[in-house]
């Protein structure tokens, strides 16, 4: 299968917002090339010996690449991207904003990234290991999560996922139930089970995510009694929403996007037990107030707001009447 590769010439200042806008358009993943030096945190989680000896100095420029099915109307996609770039340019320097084109085979972009996905430690005792890698420095008390995301979101390395995991560690208690909305690769559900959750239900609108989740559950020794993965849209399908149960989950976690979390906050309490917890992430910082206001308007008490770079996680619980 052939794909059109589109590359935007832009600035490092605009990278996060452009990437976010592309996700909102339905683009499944982007590649970012810049010259920003690695932080100390990055160096701890990456194999820096994979990087070239000489890296060009940071000149503030960046390139964002993404892929579009060759059968799609390329002109229509380009017009939509240019419109987004014009909107962003009103409050951020986007550089030239020029878009260049190339073609590629599906195998190239699905598999080539694997050489850069190495085992890394999320915190003192949670380690994420790609299924194709060997873990050499495992400690006795490590929780090792094996992940092959396939084409689904969720390697554990993104800030949004890290923020969710931090909140899960804080709120999970033994024998609880968890609903993972937008489960992606299943990483949050699997970590929840490893931390003591008794039963997890994961939902996603993407069939590839359901397949990836079930495969990752099997790899990690998760049984069918512990985990259920269901494809469906609980915001648009009342029958599907009802099938998930009412007021039966101790935790609902949603690592999606702000524009999905906002309407989700209107029904999240329907799934939660009386003292349940709603953990959200995937919120770009420019949308933080919108999400917070929606959660409060829908009867949630905000327990904590955590941030990492440009991303935000908001945790709340239903207010008692």
């Amino acid at each position: 299968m052939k794909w059109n590769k589109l590359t935007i010439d832009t600035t490092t200042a605009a990278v996060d917002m452009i990437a976010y806008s592309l996700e909102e358009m339905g683009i499944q993943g982007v590649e970012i090339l810049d010259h920003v030096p690695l932080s100390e945190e990055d160096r701890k989680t990456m194999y820096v010996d994979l990087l070239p000896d000489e890296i060009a100095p940071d000149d503030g420029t960046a390139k964002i690449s993404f892929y579009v099915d060759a059968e799609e109307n390329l002109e229509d996609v380009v017009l939509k991207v240019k419109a987004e770039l014009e909107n962003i340019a009103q409050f951020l320097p986007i550089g030239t904003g020029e878009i260049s084109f190339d073609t590629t085979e599906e195998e190239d972009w699905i598999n080539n990234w694997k050489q850069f996905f190495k085992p890394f430690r999320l915190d003192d005792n949670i380690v994420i290991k790609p299924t194709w890698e060997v873990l050499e420095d495992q400690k006795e008390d490590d929780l090792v999560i094996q992940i092959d995301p396939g084409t689904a979101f969720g390697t554990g390395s993104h800030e949004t996922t890290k923020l969710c995991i931090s909140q899960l560690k804080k709120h999970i208690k033994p024998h609880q139930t968890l609903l993972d909305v937008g489960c992606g690769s299943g990483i949050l559900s699997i970590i929840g089970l490893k931390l003591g959750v008794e039963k997890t239900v994961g939902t996603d609108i993407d069939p590839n995510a359901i397949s990836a989740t079930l495969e990752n559950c099997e790899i990690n020794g998760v049984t069918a009694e512990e985990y259920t993965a269901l494809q469906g849209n609980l915001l648009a399908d009342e029958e599907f929403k009802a099938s998930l149960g009412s007021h039966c989950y101790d935790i609902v976690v949603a690592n999606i996007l702000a524009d999905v979390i906002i309407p989700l906050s209107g029904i999240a309490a329907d799934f939660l037990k009386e003292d349940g917890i709603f953990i959200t992430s995937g919120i770009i910082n420019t949308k933080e107030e919108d999400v917070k206001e929606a959660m409060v308007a829908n009867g949630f008490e905000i327990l904590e707001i955590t941030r990492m770079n440009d991303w935000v996680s908001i945790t709340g619980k239903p207010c008692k009447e």
Side-chain angles (χ1 to χ4, degrees):
M1 184 174 181
K2 286 189 176 294
W3 296 78
N4 287 313
K5 179 181 180 181
L6 286 71
T7 301
I8 304 170
D9 282 308
T10 185
T11 65
T12 54
V15 159
D16 281 345
M17 184 56 70
I18 293 174
Y20 173 76
S21 296
L22 292 172
E23 288 181 7
E24 294 264 282
M25 289 173 55
I27 301 299
Q28 299 293 313
V30 299
E31 297 173 0
I32 298 172
L33 177 64
D34 59 30
H35 304 301
V36 177
L38 293 176
S39 67
E40 285 302 314
E41 181 181 357
D42 291 332
R43 290 182 178 277
K44 290 177 182 177
T45 60
M46 292 179 64
Y47 277 50
V48 294
D49 57 335
L50 288 173
L51 300 175
D53 293 333
E54 293 186 8
I55 299 178
D58 182 15
D59 59 0
T61 64
K63 294 180 184 293
I64 298 182
S65 298
F66 60 97
Y67 298 87
V68 177
D69 189 331
E71 295 183 0
E72 285 195 39
N73 186 326
L74 193 58
E75 183 179 359
D76 185 50
V77 173
V78 171
L79 288 174
K80 289 179 180 178
V81 171
K82 286 185 174 180
E84 288 296 325
L85 292 174
E86 288 177 5
N87 288 335
I88 295 170
Q90 296 179 36
F91 52 91
L92 277 176
I94 67 164
T96 66
E98 292 181 358
I99 303 174
S100 55
F101 307 89
D102 197 359
T103 59
T104 185
E105 294 290 342
E106 184 171 15
E107 301 83 44
D108 297 340
W109 62 269
I110 285 183
N111 293 312
N112 287 353
W113 64 274
K114 289 186 176 181
Q115 63 183 302
F116 302 108
F117 182 22
K118 299 291 181 178
F120 65 94
R121 190 170 292 276
L122 275 174
D123 56 17
D124 291 339
N125 72 324
I126 295 182
V127 179
I128 306 299
K129 185 187 84 66
T131 55
W132 57 87
E133 288 286 337
V134 175
L135 186 60
E136 297 179 350
D137 61 345
Q138 184 174 348
K139 299 176 182 177
E140 188 175 342
D141 63 342
D142 279 345
L143 282 178
V144 180
I145 312 297
Q146 298 197 75
I147 290 293
D148 183 350
T151 56
F153 177 81
T155 63
S157 60
H158 196 274
E159 291 94 334
T160 60
T161 312
K162 290 179 179 178
L163 288 166
C164 272
I165 292 168
S166 175
Q167 289 300 302
L168 286 174
K169 290 191 75 172
K170 188 174 294 186
H171 292 285
I172 281 177
K173 298 175 183 176
H175 311 301
Q176 288 184 323
T177 54
L178 183 147
L179 175 62
D180 182 2
V181 181
C183 56
S185 68
I187 185 170
L188 295 178
S189 296
I190 294 167
I191 287 178
L193 289 163
K194 297 295 184 182
L195 291 173
V197 168
E198 189 171 272
K199 172 73 176 178
T200 297
V201 175
T203 75
D204 208 295
I205 62 174
D206 183 359
N208 292 321
I210 300 302
S211 298
T213 293
L214 292 174
E215 289 171 7
N216 285 321
C217 282
E218 184 176 355
I219 291 165
N220 287 278
V222 174
T223 67
E225 289 73 26
E226 295 175 307
Y227 189 79
T228 302
L230 302 170
Q231 182 188 352
N233 186 337
L234 52 80
L235 287 174
D237 187 338
E238 281 294 328
E239 186 176 345
F240 179 69
K241 178 195 170 204
S243 72
L244 299 175
S246 175
H247 301 291
C248 56
Y249 299 94
D250 297 282
I251 296 175
V252 172
V253 61
N255 182 21
I256 318 179
L257 290 170
D259 289 343
V260 179
I261 293 170
I262 287 171
L264 180 61
S265 69
I267 62 171
D270 296 343
F271 301 109
L272 287 169
K273 295 179 181 178
E274 184 177 350
D275 296 319
I277 300 294
F278 184 31
I279 299 172
T280 71
S281 190
I283 305 163
I284 195 74
N285 54 14
T286 56
K287 297 272 191 174
E288 176 182 338
E289 287 301 316
D290 294 338
V291 174
K292 187 168 68 173
E293 288 174 7
M295 289 179 65
V296 170
N298 285 303
F300 281 94
E301 174 190 347
I302 304 300
L303 299 178
E304 187 175 9
I305 299 176
T306 55
R307 303 173 181 85
M308 188 177 291
N309 295 326
D310 295 322
W311 298 95
V312 181
S313 170
I314 303 176
T315 298
K317 67 176 182 179
C319 296
K320 294 183 179 180
E321 297 180 0

